[in-house]
Amino acid sequence: MDRIPILKMGHFLLVTIQVDLYDRLAMDLEADLVKMVSKTGAKGVLIDISAVSIVDSFMGRIIGNIASMSKLLDAETVVVGMQPAVAITLVELGLELPGVHTALNVEKGMELLQGMIVADDVELEEDDDITLS
Amino acid sequence: MDRIPILKMGHFLLVTIQVDLYDRLAMDLEADLVKMVSKTGAKGVLIDISAVSIVDSFMGRIIGNIASMSKLLDAETVVVGMQPAVAITLVELGLELPGVHTALNVEKGMELLQGMIVADDVELEEDDDITLS
C-alpha cells in the first residue's frame, strides 16, 4: 500500500494520514491531491491527522505545501483531529502552518468549509451587485 | 501509529484501511468500531479499501465480523473503493463477505446507506399505521 487514498465527498476531498510520511509518499500525496483538486473542482481539502502522534518539521512543511497548492486552485485546506501533544509540538517547534485552517474533527471541519464556501458565494453576489449598479 | 482512526460523519462512521491488517490491529479495529457505533448511535459503517491491493481470507473474515457486529447494533456496513484485482481474488478464494454491502466509492456508499435508513423509517411508519388501525 504505497499511496494514501483521497476520498471525494461532495465538494470536498478527505485524506486520512495513518502512516509515517516519508519523502516519496509525501511527494506522491502532494501530487495526487493537486491533481484530484483540479480534476474534481473540489472547494476544500480535509486532512485528518488523528492517527498522527508525532509531528516533525517535514510533515509540517508538507501540510503547508498542500495548503498553498490547493489555495492556488481555489480550495481551502482544513487539518482536523490534531492530538493535543501534536499541537504542543507544533508550537514548541515554532511551526506555523500558514494558510491552514484547523478544526476539532471531520464534522466541524466540514462545517467550517461549508461556511467558507457560502461566504465566498455571498461575496461574489455582492460583487455582482456592484457591477450591475 | 497503532490504531486505525474512525471518523464520524453525520450518522455514519468512516474507516480507511491503508495498512496491512495484522492480528492485533484488526482486533483493535473491531473493538473500536463496535464501541464507536454504540457510543454515537451510528446507522452505518463505511469501510474504504481503495488502498488495499492484496486481500486474504483473514481480512475477509475481519470485514465480515465487523459487519455482523455492527448489524447487531443496528448499523449497516458498506465496503467501498474495492480494486478490481481484489474483487477477482475474493471470488477466486470463494470469500462471500456475508452481510456486507458494497459500493464503488464513498459517495455512492453514503447514498446507499441514506437509502437504507429512509427505507427503514418508511417500514417503521408502516408498522405504526398497522398498530393504530
Side-chain angles (χ1 to χ4, degrees), chain B residues 28-110:
Chain B
D28 284 348
L29 178 62
E30 279 181 12
D32 290 348
L33 250 179
V34 178
K35 265 186 227 155
M36 194 88 169
V37 169
S38 162
K39 202 174 91 184
T40 61
K43 304 300 284 176
V45 176
L46 283 154
I47 304 178
D48 173 74
I49 58 167
S50 57
V52 175
S53 48
I54 299 166
V55 78
D56 55 10
S57 59
F58 176 71
M59 188 150 181
R61 207 176 67 233
I62 293 296
I63 291 176
N65 281 356
I66 289 173
S68 306
M69 293 172 187
S70 304
K71 188 76 194 164
L72 289 172
L73 299 172
D74 196 26
E76 298 289 341
T77 302
V78 179
V79 168
V80 300
M82 192 183 291
Q83 289 183 19
V86 171
I88 293 170
T89 312
L90 283 178
V91 171
E92 284 182 350
L93 287 175
L95 293 173
E96 291 201 2
L97 300 183
V100 177
H101 307 272
T102 50
L104 199 60
N105 55 40
V106 178
E107 282 186 313
K108 293 211 164 71
M110 285 218 164

Side-chain angles (χ1 to χ4, degrees), chain A residues 53-128:
Chain A
S53 48
I54 299 166
V55 77
D56 55 11
S57 58
F58 176 71
M59 188 150 180
R61 206 176 67 233
I62 292 297
I63 292 176
N65 280 358
I66 289 174
S68 307
M69 292 171 186
S70 303
K71 188 77 194 166
L72 288 173
L73 298 172
D74 197 25
E76 298 289 341
T77 302
V78 179
V79 168
V80 300
M82 192 184 291
Q83 290 184 20
V86 170
I88 293 171
T89 312
L90 282 178
V91 171
E92 283 181 351
L93 286 176
L95 293 173
E96 291 201 2
L97 300 182
V100 178
H101 307 272
T102 52
L104 198 61
N105 54 42
V106 177
E107 281 184 315
K108 293 211 165 73
M110 285 218 165
E111 278 169 27
L112 182 65
L113 283 173
Q114 294 279 14
M116 285 183 209
I117 290 178
V118 172
D120 269 2
D121 286 350
V122 171
E123 270 176 36
L124 280 177
E125 275 170 29
E126 279 171 4
D127 288 351
D128 287 350

